[in-house]
Amino acid sequence: MDFTFSDDQLLFQDNVRAFFTNEVTPELIRELWNSESGRSDKLWAQLTELGLPALTVPEAFGGLGMDELDFVLLAQECGYAGLPEPLVDTVLVGVPLLSALGGEHDELKNRWLGRIAEGQARLAVGEPGNPLVADAHVADLLLLPHGDEVHALLPQAVRLTRNASLDPSRQLFRVDWTPSAATCVAAGEQGRLLWAASRNRGSLGTAAQLLGLAKRMVDLAVDYSFERKQFGKPVGSFQAVKHLMADVAVQIEFAKGPLYRAAYAVARGLTGQDAQVSHARLVCAEAALLAAKNAIQTHGAMGYTWEVDLQLFMKRAWALDKAWGDRPWHKTRIRQALYGGAIQPGAGNTF
């Protein structure tokens, strides 16, 4: 069996990485922190030129018709760059949720999916059980939960209250609105299944970003350790510092397998994907949090200062660790799958 990504997928990742390197700089992130919306219409237009918002939009609506496995490498690059724009939630959560609505809502899909692919509209998606919605202030359409129901609302139908985040790049809002039959687009078992799928996609996207963030923090720490000198030598030459980065590098490599397996399971609609997504989410979070801890140690006191770029990515990792289910929630899903018989333990069965 071939578990490698295709040449086209890897080439697309390289092109996106090159774009982010040139355009999504730490200087831009800091600039957006000080702007009113925290978002850049120019940057979203550039992302649209690359075809990124159209990736998971079905071809019938003017998109590229790709799936989660095609996007997981790009989601990693979004994490590595610390991309402020809500690209991952749009591509992995919002568009698939909207696309999966029943045929009675074809008019809604016709109205919005093509505009999203063209970069003329943005989505915001609420996470069930979480009162805060990311990027609700720039959304042209909001998809919000009410129990098992899915509601589609225009901005004028909601009232937003900003909620400060540890990561200034995270634009979070409490959304007050009134559910009605006119806004409900899915209910009952259909709504429950749609939100379950959205949780998995949101968790998958968060895991991929956390893995990218872990790699970025390691790279920043390595670069700094070779610039800073003690006793006439770069601190990176000392064994204790090498071990800190090696520990994170091992975590990153071990997290890749579960992440890509989870992306494959979600893209193919395989049974058992809940536990696989939670596994990926946990190991990627562990890698990112260890990267933050060890990178701070490598930087010393400088790592806590506003001027050093490390804090941009460290804060993003801490904030994303609570998005789309925290670690106890994901551990519970794995425990239930293991003790419920959905996972058969043993070297011949587990990954």
Side-chain angles (χ1 to χ4, degrees):
M1 299 178 69
D2 185 0
F3 292 99
T4 59
F5 287 93
S6 69
D7 290 340
D8 288 342
Q9 289 169 326
L10 294 173
L11 179 60
F12 202 178
Q13 180 189 22
D14 290 341
N15 290 336
V16 169
R17 181 188 301 127
F19 169 79
F20 285 160
T21 299
N22 292 326
E23 301 295 336
V24 187
T25 61
E27 291 75 23
L28 174 65
I29 295 174
R30 286 187 171 89
E31 179 183 331
L32 292 177
W33 279 8
N34 295 320
S35 68
E36 183 177 353
S37 70
R39 297 293 175 257
S40 168
D41 291 338
K42 176 184 176 182
L43 180 55
W44 191 259
Q46 290 174 305
L47 296 174
T48 302
E49 288 178 10
L50 291 174
L52 297 181
L55 278 173
T56 55
V57 174
E59 294 180 13
F61 299 99
L64 300 177
M66 295 184 177
D67 58 29
E68 293 80 5
L69 192 59
D70 295 311
F71 188 71
V72 68
L73 293 177
L74 308 186
Q76 279 182 234
E77 297 304 326
C78 292
Y80 188 89
L83 178 69
E85 301 297 320
L87 180 66
V88 176
D89 280 353
T90 296
V91 174
L92 272 187
V93 187
V95 167
L97 176 57
L98 188 58
S99 301
L101 294 178
E104 67 275 18
H105 298 292
D106 283 346
E107 182 180 348
L108 181 70
K109 292 189 280 188
N110 283 323
R111 179 182 178 187
W112 290 103
L113 288 173
R115 294 178 61 193
I116 293 167
E118 296 169 358
Q120 298 177 2
R122 304 189 205 186
L123 288 174
V125 184
E127 176 188 350
N130 188 341
L132 303 178
V133 179
D135 293 284
H137 65 311
V138 294
D140 300 287
L141 180 69
L142 296 94
L143 299 174
L144 303 175
H146 178 65
D148 288 335
E149 298 175 351
V150 181
H151 289 256
L153 296 103
L154 298 176
Q156 55 266 32
V158 303
R159 186 174 73 255
L160 304 180
T161 304
R162 184 182 294 274
N163 190 90
S165 172
L166 170 68
D167 172 21
S169 289
R170 293 271 291 168
Q171 298 293 317
L172 301 176
F173 293 84
R174 191 186 77 229
V175 180
D176 295 309
W177 57 288
T178 302
S180 69
T183 61
C184 183
V185 294
E189 182 65 11
Q190 181 195 18
R192 188 188 67 78
L193 292 175
L194 288 174
W195 283 125
S198 296
R199 276 190 183 275
N200 278 344
R201 293 192 184 98
S203 299
L204 179 69
T206 301
Q209 291 179 86
L210 286 167
L211 191 63
L213 286 163
K215 182 67 166 62
R216 182 61 176 269
M217 288 184 281
V218 168
D219 288 348
L220 288 172
V222 169
D223 290 344
Y224 181 80
S225 68
F226 280 99
E227 292 174 2
R228 181 185 171 206
K229 294 185 178 181
Q230 283 186 347
F231 310 111
K233 296 181 180 181
V235 296
S237 65
F238 300 129
Q239 194 173 41
V241 175
K242 292 180 181 179
H243 286 174
L244 290 175
M245 294 300 99
D247 288 344
V248 182
V250 170
Q251 292 271 28
I252 290 173
E253 290 304 312
F254 272 99
K256 288 179 180 178
L259 175 65
Y260 302 152
R261 179 188 63 171
Y264 181 87
V266 172
R268 301 298 184 267
L270 302 182
T271 57
Q273 64 177 266
D274 290 357
Q276 292 172 1
V277 167
S278 288
H279 181 194
R281 175 69 168 75
L282 286 168
V283 294
C284 289
E286 288 175 2
L289 296 177
L290 182 64
K293 175 184 175 182
N294 288 4
I296 276 282
Q297 281 194 269
T298 303
H299 278 73
M302 285 296 295
Y304 290 94
T305 61
W306 188 263
E307 292 78 10
V308 174
D309 291 342
L310 175 63
Q311 53 114 3
L312 304 177
F313 308 97
M314 187 170 58
K315 289 175 180 175
R316 171 55 65 93
W318 288 341
L320 286 181
D321 183 46
K322 305 298 187 294
W324 292 102
D326 56 16
R327 278 173 286 162
W329 187 81
H330 287 287
K331 288 179 180 180
T332 298
R333 290 217 300 181
I334 292 177
R335 177 184 58 79
Q336 290 172 342
L338 182 61
Y339 290 104
I343 298 176
Q344 295 299 319
N349 299 312
T350 54
F351 185 82

PDB file of all heavy atoms in Angstrom, residues 204-234:
ATOM      1  N   LEU A 204      -9.983  18.017  12.925  1.00  0.00           N
ATOM      2  CA  LEU A 204      -8.913  17.675  11.987  1.00  0.00           C
ATOM      3  C   LEU A 204      -8.144  18.918  11.553  1.00  0.00           C
ATOM      4  O   LEU A 204      -6.901  18.921  11.531  1.00  0.00           O
ATOM      5  CB  LEU A 204      -9.506  16.969  10.768  1.00  0.00           C
ATOM      6  CG  LEU A 204      -8.523  16.568   9.666  1.00  0.00           C
ATOM      7  CD1 LEU A 204      -7.604  15.458  10.146  1.00  0.00           C
ATOM      8  CD2 LEU A 204      -9.271  16.128   8.408  1.00  0.00           C
ATOM      9  N   GLY A 205      -8.873  19.972  11.211  1.00  0.00           N
ATOM     10  CA  GLY A 205      -8.210  21.211  10.811  1.00  0.00           C
ATOM     11  C   GLY A 205      -7.392  21.817  11.934  1.00  0.00           C
ATOM     12  O   GLY A 205      -6.293  22.343  11.708  1.00  0.00           O
ATOM     13  N   THR A 206      -7.907  21.744  13.153  1.00  0.00           N
ATOM     14  CA  THR A 206      -7.167  22.250  14.311  1.00  0.00           C
ATOM     15  C   THR A 206      -5.900  21.440  14.529  1.00  0.00           C
ATOM     16  O   THR A 206      -4.827  21.998  14.803  1.00  0.00           O
ATOM     17  CB  THR A 206      -8.052  22.204  15.563  1.00  0.00           C
ATOM     18  OG1 THR A 206      -9.225  22.986  15.346  1.00  0.00           O
ATOM     19  CG2 THR A 206      -7.314  22.742  16.771  1.00  0.00           C
ATOM     20  N   ALA A 207      -5.999  20.115  14.407  1.00  0.00           N
ATOM     21  CA  ALA A 207      -4.832  19.250  14.587  1.00  0.00           C
ATOM     22  C   ALA A 207      -3.750  19.585  13.567  1.00  0.00           C
ATOM     23  O   ALA A 207      -2.562  19.677  13.911  1.00  0.00           O
ATOM     24  CB  ALA A 207      -5.248  17.786  14.466  1.00  0.00           C
ATOM     25  N   ALA A 208      -4.140  19.759  12.315  1.00  0.00           N
ATOM     26  CA  ALA A 208      -3.162  20.066  11.270  1.00  0.00           C
ATOM     27  C   ALA A 208      -2.476  21.400  11.543  1.00  0.00           C
ATOM     28  O   ALA A 208      -1.251  21.532  11.369  1.00  0.00           O
ATOM     29  CB  ALA A 208      -3.854  20.079   9.912  1.00  0.00           C
ATOM     30  N   GLN A 209      -3.242  22.404  11.968  1.00  0.00           N
ATOM     31  CA  GLN A 209      -2.634  23.694  12.286  1.00  0.00           C
ATOM     32  C   GLN A 209      -1.672  23.584  13.467  1.00  0.00           C
ATOM     33  O   GLN A 209      -0.598  24.201  13.466  1.00  0.00           O
ATOM     34  CB  GLN A 209      -3.720  24.710  12.591  1.00  0.00           C
ATOM     35  CG  GLN A 209      -4.550  25.117  11.390  1.00  0.00           C
ATOM     36  CD  GLN A 209      -5.616  26.116  11.765  1.00  0.00           C
ATOM     37  OE1 GLN A 209      -5.392  27.331  11.800  1.00  0.00           O
ATOM     38  NE2 GLN A 209      -6.810  25.622  12.047  1.00  0.00           N
ATOM     39  N   LEU A 210      -2.050  22.805  14.481  1.00  0.00           N
ATOM     40  CA  LEU A 210      -1.177  22.631  15.639  1.00  0.00           C
ATOM     41  C   LEU A 210       0.136  21.967  15.242  1.00  0.00           C
ATOM     42  O   LEU A 210       1.200  22.322  15.769  1.00  0.00           O
ATOM     43  CB  LEU A 210      -1.897  21.805  16.713  1.00  0.00           C
ATOM     44  CG  LEU A 210      -2.996  22.532  17.488  1.00  0.00           C
ATOM     45  CD1 LEU A 210      -3.842  21.542  18.276  1.00  0.00           C
ATOM     46  CD2 LEU A 210      -2.395  23.577  18.428  1.00  0.00           C
ATOM     47  N   LEU A 211       0.071  21.022  14.324  1.00  0.00           N
ATOM     48  CA  LEU A 211       1.306  20.375  13.875  1.00  0.00           C
ATOM     49  C   LEU A 211       2.193  21.369  13.134  1.00  0.00           C
ATOM     50  O   LEU A 211       3.413  21.385  13.318  1.00  0.00           O
ATOM     51  CB  LEU A 211       0.968  19.183  12.976  1.00  0.00           C
ATOM     52  CG  LEU A 211       2.137  18.253  12.653  1.00  0.00           C
ATOM     53  CD1 LEU A 211       2.678  17.592  13.917  1.00  0.00           C
ATOM     54  CD2 LEU A 211       1.724  17.187  11.641  1.00  0.00           C
ATOM     55  N   GLY A 212       1.580  22.211  12.292  1.00  0.00           N
ATOM     56  CA  GLY A 212       2.347  23.243  11.609  1.00  0.00           C
ATOM     57  C   GLY A 212       2.956  24.238  12.578  1.00  0.00           C
ATOM     58  O   GLY A 212       4.105  24.672  12.413  1.00  0.00           O
ATOM     59  N   LEU A 213       2.201  24.598  13.598  1.00  0.00           N
ATOM     60  CA  LEU A 213       2.716  25.511  14.625  1.00  0.00           C
ATOM     61  C   LEU A 213       3.895  24.898  15.367  1.00  0.00           C
ATOM     62  O   LEU A 213       4.874  25.589  15.682  1.00  0.00           O
ATOM     63  CB  LEU A 213       1.604  25.869  15.609  1.00  0.00           C
ATOM     64  CG  LEU A 213       0.544  26.843  15.106  1.00  0.00           C
ATOM     65  CD1 LEU A 213      -0.700  26.787  15.977  1.00  0.00           C
ATOM     66  CD2 LEU A 213       1.098  28.268  15.062  1.00  0.00           C
ATOM     67  N   ALA A 214       3.814  23.607  15.680  1.00  0.00           N
ATOM     68  CA  ALA A 214       4.919  22.936  16.370  1.00  0.00           C
ATOM     69  C   ALA A 214       6.197  23.031  15.546  1.00  0.00           C
ATOM     70  O   ALA A 214       7.277  23.342  16.070  1.00  0.00           O
ATOM     71  CB  ALA A 214       4.559  21.473  16.633  1.00  0.00           C
ATOM     72  N   LYS A 215       6.076  22.774  14.250  1.00  0.00           N
ATOM     73  CA  LYS A 215       7.254  22.848  13.371  1.00  0.00           C
ATOM     74  C   LYS A 215       7.797  24.270  13.316  1.00  0.00           C
ATOM     75  O   LYS A 215       9.017  24.480  13.327  1.00  0.00           O
ATOM     76  CB  LYS A 215       6.857  22.377  11.971  1.00  0.00           C
ATOM     77  CG  LYS A 215       8.013  22.354  10.976  1.00  0.00           C
ATOM     78  CD  LYS A 215       9.056  21.303  11.348  1.00  0.00           C
ATOM     79  CE  LYS A 215      10.022  21.046  10.211  1.00  0.00           C
ATOM     80  NZ  LYS A 215      10.816  22.231   9.835  1.00  0.00           N
ATOM     81  N   ARG A 216       6.925  25.268  13.276  1.00  0.00           N
ATOM     82  CA  ARG A 216       7.385  26.654  13.204  1.00  0.00           C
ATOM     83  C   ARG A 216       8.130  27.050  14.474  1.00  0.00           C
ATOM     84  O   ARG A 216       9.185  27.716  14.421  1.00  0.00           O
ATOM     85  CB  ARG A 216       6.191  27.590  12.991  1.00  0.00           C
ATOM     86  CG  ARG A 216       6.578  29.078  12.848  1.00  0.00           C
ATOM     87  CD  ARG A 216       7.489  29.306  11.640  1.00  0.00           C
ATOM     88  NE  ARG A 216       7.804  30.698  11.407  1.00  0.00           N
ATOM     89  CZ  ARG A 216       7.096  31.518  10.630  1.00  0.00           C
ATOM     90  NH1 ARG A 216       6.006  31.074  10.023  1.00  0.00           N
ATOM     91  NH2 ARG A 216       7.479  32.759  10.454  1.00  0.00           N
ATOM     92  N   MET A 217       7.617  26.636  15.623  1.00  0.00           N
ATOM     93  CA  MET A 217       8.275  26.992  16.876  1.00  0.00           C
ATOM     94  C   MET A 217       9.635  26.309  17.006  1.00  0.00           C
ATOM     95  O   MET A 217      10.583  26.898  17.536  1.00  0.00           O
ATOM     96  CB  MET A 217       7.363  26.655  18.057  1.00  0.00           C
ATOM     97  CG  MET A 217       6.185  27.599  18.181  1.00  0.00           C
ATOM     98  SD  MET A 217       5.141  27.316  19.642  1.00  0.00           S
ATOM     99  CE  MET A 217       4.162  25.919  19.122  1.00  0.00           C
ATOM    100  N   VAL A 218       9.746  25.084  16.522  1.00  0.00           N
ATOM    101  CA  VAL A 218      11.051  24.415  16.517  1.00  0.00           C
ATOM    102  C   VAL A 218      12.020  25.176  15.619  1.00  0.00           C
ATOM    103  O   VAL A 218      13.175  25.426  15.997  1.00  0.00           O
ATOM    104  CB  VAL A 218      10.912  22.961  16.037  1.00  0.00           C
ATOM    105  CG1 VAL A 218      12.283  22.357  15.740  1.00  0.00           C
ATOM    106  CG2 VAL A 218      10.200  22.118  17.087  1.00  0.00           C
ATOM    107  N   ASP A 219      11.574  25.563  14.443  1.00  0.00           N
ATOM    108  CA  ASP A 219      12.458  26.287  13.517  1.00  0.00           C
ATOM    109  C   ASP A 219      12.913  27.615  14.119  1.00  0.00           C
ATOM    110  O   ASP A 219      14.087  28.001  13.989  1.00  0.00           O
ATOM    111  CB  ASP A 219      11.735  26.529  12.192  1.00  0.00           C
ATOM    112  CG  ASP A 219      11.559  25.254  11.375  1.00  0.00           C
ATOM    113  OD1 ASP A 219      12.186  24.233  11.727  1.00  0.00           O
ATOM    114  OD2 ASP A 219      10.797  25.285  10.385  1.00  0.00           O
ATOM    115  N   LEU A 220      11.989  28.320  14.780  1.00  0.00           N
ATOM    116  CA  LEU A 220      12.364  29.592  15.407  1.00  0.00           C
ATOM    117  C   LEU A 220      13.377  29.368  16.522  1.00  0.00           C
ATOM    118  O   LEU A 220      14.342  30.134  16.666  1.00  0.00           O
ATOM    119  CB  LEU A 220      11.120  30.281  15.970  1.00  0.00           C
ATOM    120  CG  LEU A 220      10.153  30.883  14.954  1.00  0.00           C
ATOM    121  CD1 LEU A 220       8.876  31.343  15.652  1.00  0.00           C
ATOM    122  CD2 LEU A 220      10.795  32.058  14.221  1.00  0.00           C
ATOM    123  N   ALA A 221      13.164  28.323  17.319  1.00  0.00           N
ATOM    124  CA  ALA A 221      14.073  28.050  18.435  1.00  0.00           C
ATOM    125  C   ALA A 221      15.455  27.633  17.924  1.00  0.00           C
ATOM    126  O   ALA A 221      16.477  28.050  18.486  1.00  0.00           O
ATOM    127  CB  ALA A 221      13.495  26.957  19.328  1.00  0.00           C
ATOM    128  N   VAL A 222      15.483  26.828  16.882  1.00  0.00           N
ATOM    129  CA  VAL A 222      16.770  26.398  16.319  1.00  0.00           C
ATOM    130  C   VAL A 222      17.528  27.595  15.765  1.00  0.00           C
ATOM    131  O   VAL A 222      18.743  27.757  16.004  1.00  0.00           O
ATOM    132  CB  VAL A 222      16.553  25.332  15.229  1.00  0.00           C
ATOM    133  CG1 VAL A 222      17.839  25.076  14.458  1.00  0.00           C
ATOM    134  CG2 VAL A 222      16.054  24.034  15.849  1.00  0.00           C
ATOM    135  N   ASP A 223      16.828  28.446  15.016  1.00  0.00           N
ATOM    136  CA  ASP A 223      17.488  29.637  14.460  1.00  0.00           C
ATOM    137  C   ASP A 223      18.040  30.524  15.572  1.00  0.00           C
ATOM    138  O   ASP A 223      19.185  31.014  15.497  1.00  0.00           O
ATOM    139  CB  ASP A 223      16.500  30.439  13.606  1.00  0.00           C
ATOM    140  CG  ASP A 223      16.145  29.725  12.310  1.00  0.00           C
ATOM    141  OD1 ASP A 223      16.878  28.784  11.936  1.00  0.00           O
ATOM    142  OD2 ASP A 223      15.138  30.101  11.681  1.00  0.00           O
ATOM    143  N   TYR A 224      17.244  30.733  16.614  1.00  0.00           N
ATOM    144  CA  TYR A 224      17.681  31.594  17.708  1.00  0.00           C
ATOM    145  C   TYR A 224      18.869  30.982  18.451  1.00  0.00           C
ATOM    146  O   TYR A 224      19.807  31.694  18.837  1.00  0.00           O
ATOM    147  CB  TYR A 224      16.522  31.823  18.685  1.00  0.00           C
ATOM    148  CG  TYR A 224      16.876  32.722  19.844  1.00  0.00           C
ATOM    149  CD1 TYR A 224      16.892  34.108  19.695  1.00  0.00           C
ATOM    150  CD2 TYR A 224      17.226  32.185  21.087  1.00  0.00           C
ATOM    151  CE1 TYR A 224      17.225  34.932  20.759  1.00  0.00           C
ATOM    152  CE2 TYR A 224      17.558  33.008  22.152  1.00  0.00           C
ATOM    153  CZ  TYR A 224      17.557  34.376  21.983  1.00  0.00           C
ATOM    154  OH  TYR A 224      17.908  35.194  23.023  1.00  0.00           O
ATOM    155  N   SER A 225      18.848  29.660  18.626  1.00  0.00           N
ATOM    156  CA  SER A 225      19.919  29.012  19.388  1.00  0.00           C
ATOM    157  C   SER A 225      21.260  29.072  18.682  1.00  0.00           C
ATOM    158  O   SER A 225      22.312  28.955  19.323  1.00  0.00           O
ATOM    159  CB  SER A 225      19.550  27.551  19.682  1.00  0.00           C
ATOM    160  OG  SER A 225      19.540  26.782  18.491  1.00  0.00           O
ATOM    161  N   PHE A 226      21.236  29.264  17.367  1.00  0.00           N
ATOM    162  CA  PHE A 226      22.498  29.396  16.654  1.00  0.00           C
ATOM    163  C   PHE A 226      22.946  30.845  16.524  1.00  0.00           C
ATOM    164  O   PHE A 226      24.103  31.114  16.230  1.00  0.00           O
ATOM    165  CB  PHE A 226      22.398  28.744  15.268  1.00  0.00           C
ATOM    166  CG  PHE A 226      22.550  27.256  15.304  1.00  0.00           C
ATOM    167  CD1 PHE A 226      21.457  26.426  15.270  1.00  0.00           C
ATOM    168  CD2 PHE A 226      23.811  26.672  15.420  1.00  0.00           C
ATOM    169  CE1 PHE A 226      21.584  25.045  15.336  1.00  0.00           C
ATOM    170  CE2 PHE A 226      23.958  25.298  15.484  1.00  0.00           C
ATOM    171  CZ  PHE A 226      22.845  24.475  15.442  1.00  0.00           C
ATOM    172  N   GLU A 227      22.022  31.777  16.758  1.00  0.00           N
ATOM    173  CA  GLU A 227      22.394  33.191  16.748  1.00  0.00           C
ATOM    174  C   GLU A 227      22.932  33.627  18.114  1.00  0.00           C
ATOM    175  O   GLU A 227      23.872  34.420  18.200  1.00  0.00           O
ATOM    176  CB  GLU A 227      21.175  34.047  16.389  1.00  0.00           C
ATOM    177  CG  GLU A 227      20.699  33.868  14.952  1.00  0.00           C
ATOM    178  CD  GLU A 227      19.400  34.614  14.694  1.00  0.00           C
ATOM    179  OE1 GLU A 227      18.923  35.293  15.641  1.00  0.00           O
ATOM    180  OE2 GLU A 227      18.877  34.517  13.576  1.00  0.00           O
ATOM    181  N   ARG A 228      22.327  33.115  19.184  1.00  0.00           N
ATOM    182  CA  ARG A 228      22.702  33.519  20.542  1.00  0.00           C
ATOM    183  C   ARG A 228      23.920  32.723  21.004  1.00  0.00           C
ATOM    184  O   ARG A 228      23.995  31.501  20.800  1.00  0.00           O
ATOM    185  CB  ARG A 228      21.525  33.278  21.488  1.00  0.00           C
ATOM    186  CG  ARG A 228      21.804  33.691  22.918  1.00  0.00           C
ATOM    187  CD  ARG A 228      20.642  33.314  23.806  1.00  0.00           C
ATOM    188  NE  ARG A 228      20.981  33.500  25.209  1.00  0.00           N
ATOM    189  CZ  ARG A 228      20.425  32.828  26.209  1.00  0.00           C
ATOM    190  NH1 ARG A 228      19.527  31.896  25.947  1.00  0.00           N
ATOM    191  NH2 ARG A 228      20.773  33.066  27.454  1.00  0.00           N
ATOM    192  N   LYS A 229      24.856  33.398  21.620  1.00  0.00           N
ATOM    193  CA  LYS A 229      26.093  32.744  22.050  1.00  0.00           C
ATOM    194  C   LYS A 229      26.300  32.878  23.550  1.00  0.00           C
ATOM    195  O   LYS A 229      25.932  33.889  24.162  1.00  0.00           O
ATOM    196  CB  LYS A 229      27.296  33.342  21.315  1.00  0.00           C
ATOM    197  CG  LYS A 229      27.297  33.055  19.820  1.00  0.00           C
ATOM    198  CD  LYS A 229      28.549  33.560  19.153  1.00  0.00           C
ATOM    199  CE  LYS A 229      28.559  33.212  17.664  1.00  0.00           C
ATOM    200  NZ  LYS A 229      29.795  33.673  17.002  1.00  0.00           N
ATOM    201  N   GLN A 230      26.854  31.832  24.151  1.00  0.00           N
ATOM    202  CA  GLN A 230      27.312  31.839  25.538  1.00  0.00           C
ATOM    203  C   GLN A 230      28.676  31.139  25.578  1.00  0.00           C
ATOM    204  O   GLN A 230      28.875  30.133  24.889  1.00  0.00           O
ATOM    205  CB  GLN A 230      26.319  31.110  26.447  1.00  0.00           C
ATOM    206  CG  GLN A 230      25.080  31.913  26.787  1.00  0.00           C
ATOM    207  CD  GLN A 230      24.198  31.208  27.805  1.00  0.00           C
ATOM    208  OE1 GLN A 230      24.382  30.029  28.073  1.00  0.00           O
ATOM    209  NE2 GLN A 230      23.253  31.931  28.378  1.00  0.00           N
ATOM    210  N   PHE A 231      29.560  31.702  26.379  1.00  0.00           N
ATOM    211  CA  PHE A 231      30.920  31.153  26.494  1.00  0.00           C
ATOM    212  C   PHE A 231      31.595  31.065  25.126  1.00  0.00           C
ATOM    213  O   PHE A 231      32.381  30.153  24.846  1.00  0.00           O
ATOM    214  CB  PHE A 231      30.901  29.770  27.160  1.00  0.00           C
ATOM    215  CG  PHE A 231      30.121  29.715  28.430  1.00  0.00           C
ATOM    216  CD1 PHE A 231      28.927  29.018  28.495  1.00  0.00           C
ATOM    217  CD2 PHE A 231      30.546  30.399  29.563  1.00  0.00           C
ATOM    218  CE1 PHE A 231      28.188  28.972  29.658  1.00  0.00           C
ATOM    219  CE2 PHE A 231      29.820  30.351  30.739  1.00  0.00           C
ATOM    220  CZ  PHE A 231      28.641  29.642  30.782  1.00  0.00           C
ATOM    221  N   GLY A 232      31.213  32.003  24.244  1.00  0.00           N
ATOM    222  CA  GLY A 232      31.835  32.048  22.926  1.00  0.00           C
ATOM    223  C   GLY A 232      31.309  31.026  21.940  1.00  0.00           C
ATOM    224  O   GLY A 232      31.839  30.912  20.836  1.00  0.00           O
ATOM    225  N   LYS A 233      30.252  30.296  22.297  1.00  0.00           N
ATOM    226  CA  LYS A 233      29.687  29.272  21.404  1.00  0.00           C
ATOM    227  C   LYS A 233      28.185  29.482  21.254  1.00  0.00           C
ATOM    228  O   LYS A 233      27.526  29.955  22.179  1.00  0.00           O
ATOM    229  CB  LYS A 233      29.935  27.869  21.964  1.00  0.00           C
ATOM    230  CG  LYS A 233      31.404  27.476  22.056  1.00  0.00           C
ATOM    231  CD  LYS A 233      31.502  26.044  22.615  1.00  0.00           C
ATOM    232  CE  LYS A 233      32.955  25.611  22.712  1.00  0.00           C
ATOM    233  NZ  LYS A 233      33.065  24.223  23.239  1.00  0.00           N
ATOM    234  N   PRO A 234      27.617  29.115  20.091  1.00  0.00           N
ATOM    235  CA  PRO A 234      26.149  29.163  19.946  1.00  0.00           C
ATOM    236  C   PRO A 234      25.499  28.235  20.970  1.00  0.00           C
ATOM    237  O   PRO A 234      25.974  27.114  21.182  1.00  0.00           O
ATOM    238  CB  PRO A 234      25.910  28.666  18.518  1.00  0.00           C
ATOM    239  CG  PRO A 234      27.216  28.841  17.814  1.00  0.00           C
ATOM    240  CD  PRO A 234      28.278  28.660  18.846  1.00  0.00           C
TER     241      PRO A 234
END
